[in-house]
Amino acid sequence: MTGRLNSAQPYALGLFRIVVGLLFACHGAASLFGLLGGDSIPVGTWPGWYAAVIQLVGGSLVLLGLGTRAAAFIASGSMAYAYFKVHQPAALWPMENGGEASAMFCWALLLLVFTGSGAFGLDRLFSRKRTSATTERPAAKQTPVAA
């Protein structure tokens, strides 16, 4: 059973990345444009408008799997900032201070920093082209990370 789960790992990770990126981008679109029932934030408002830009751009890049690690790192940091500067001063626990989304996005995006885009990402497509163009011998087979 472990072998089957390990072989499916890149696909599960790719689906995870797509869902997290889509939800994160939707947060940004709601804040920037008032879409999906959100209220738009005036341009240049600190920190909300800048956070919304990071959410929309970073979420879109994560969704596509393009520059996943860098985009996820910046987005994760913005969610850590949101939690500790906006939510945590109101109360200690995320359930009390309304910071559940910030905490979950922070940790989910941090996971993608370490795992990469998984399957279905543009990162993978470009790395294959670069690898095949620069090397003449076949690349070593990559195995999934298992605990």
Side-chain angles (χ1 to χ4, degrees), residues 15-111:
L15 292 173
F16 175 79
R17 174 190 47 79
I18 289 167
V19 170
V20 169
L22 177 65
L23 293 174
F24 202 61
C26 286
H27 251 288
S31 297
L32 286 175
F33 309 118
L35 301 173
L36 307 167
D39 294 327
S40 62
I41 298 172
V43 175
T45 304
W46 177 258
W49 185 82
Y50 295 95
V53 170
I54 290 171
Q55 290 168 2
L56 181 61
V57 173
S60 298
L61 290 171
V62 168
L63 170 67
L64 295 171
L66 184 60
T68 302
R69 290 176 190 247
F73 181 75
I74 293 167
S76 177
S78 76
M79 288 295 97
Y81 178 88
Y83 183 77
F84 287 111
K85 289 299 252 182
V86 177
H87 298 287
Q88 198 275 329
L92 178 62
W93 298 104
M95 291 300 292
E96 295 175 318
N97 62 32
E100 302 98 338
S102 296
M104 285 296 293
F105 276 125
C106 179
W107 286 104
L109 290 161
L110 188 63
L111 176 66

Side-chain angles (χ1 to χ4, degrees), residues 11 41 54-55 59 87 124 137 141 143:
Y11 304 105
I41 298 172
I54 290 171
Q55 290 168 2
H87 298 287
R124 213 168 190 187
R137 43 190 171 142
K141 183 180 176 187
T143 58

